[in-house]
Amino acid sequence: MKSTKVASAFLGTILVFFAGVGYPADKADTRKVDVGKAEYEQKCIICHGILGKGDGAYSKMLNKPATDLTTLSKRNGGVFPFAHVFETIEGTHELMAHGTREMPIWGKEYRSSKYYDEYLHEENVDRSYFARSRILALTEYIYRLQAK
C-alpha cells in the first residue's frame, strides 16, 4: 500500500515536471499577428514613419507636420494619453475651431469597412465593436512606440 502511494506520488511528480517542460507556449503558434502593428503599417506609417517620429514619406506634403508619436508620453508629463490618442484616431476628439484636419478619421473607415463582410453575415450587426477593437490595438501599439 505504502509503495503504491510512493509510486503514485513519484509518477505524479514526473508528469507535472514533463508538463511544465513541454513545448513553450510562445512557440506553439508561429502565426501570431500583432494587430496594432499591422494597423499602424497600413494606416499610419505613410505620414508618421516606421518608428513613429513623424518622418513618413508623405510628411513633407502635409500643411502641418505629422506628430512625433514617440514623445506623446513625454509631452504629457510621463503618462501616455491613451484616451486622447484613441479618440483622435476614432475621430471623436476634433476641435472644430481649428478647422479640418489632414489626418483621416479612421473610426469612420473602420466602421464602414468591407473587411467585416466576410465575418458579419447579418446586416444589422453593430460594426463599432470591431472598429473599436482595431483602434484599441493601434493605440496600444502607439503606446509601445514611446521613447524610454
Side-chain angles (χ1 to χ4, degrees), residues 46-48 54 56 58-67 102-103:
I46 196 74
C47 295
H48 293 283
Y58 281 10
S59 64
K60 290 181 176 58
M61 293 182 246
L62 300 173
N63 293 326
K64 181 181 172 189
T67 302
E102 292 185 77
M103 189 181 118

Side-chain angles (χ1 to χ4, degrees), residues 6 15 19 23 31-33 37 59 62 64 78-79 88 91 94 104 109 120 124 136 141 143:
V6 171
L15 289 174
Y23 199 67
R31 301 172 297 141
K32 288 184 180 180
V33 175
K37 183 177 181 182
S59 64
L62 300 173
K64 181 181 172 189
V79 178
T88 301
E94 184 174 5
E109 190 274 334
L120 303 176
N124 298 331
L136 182 64
Y141 181 74
Y143 168 75

Side-chain angles (χ1 to χ4, degrees), residues 91-113:
T92 54
H93 181 77
E94 184 174 5
L95 298 173
M96 292 304 215
H98 294 162
T100 59
R101 64 186 198 168
E102 292 185 77
M103 189 181 118
I105 298 173
W106 294 113
K108 289 179 185 176
E109 190 274 334
Y110 284 140
R111 281 189 287 281
S112 65
S113 177

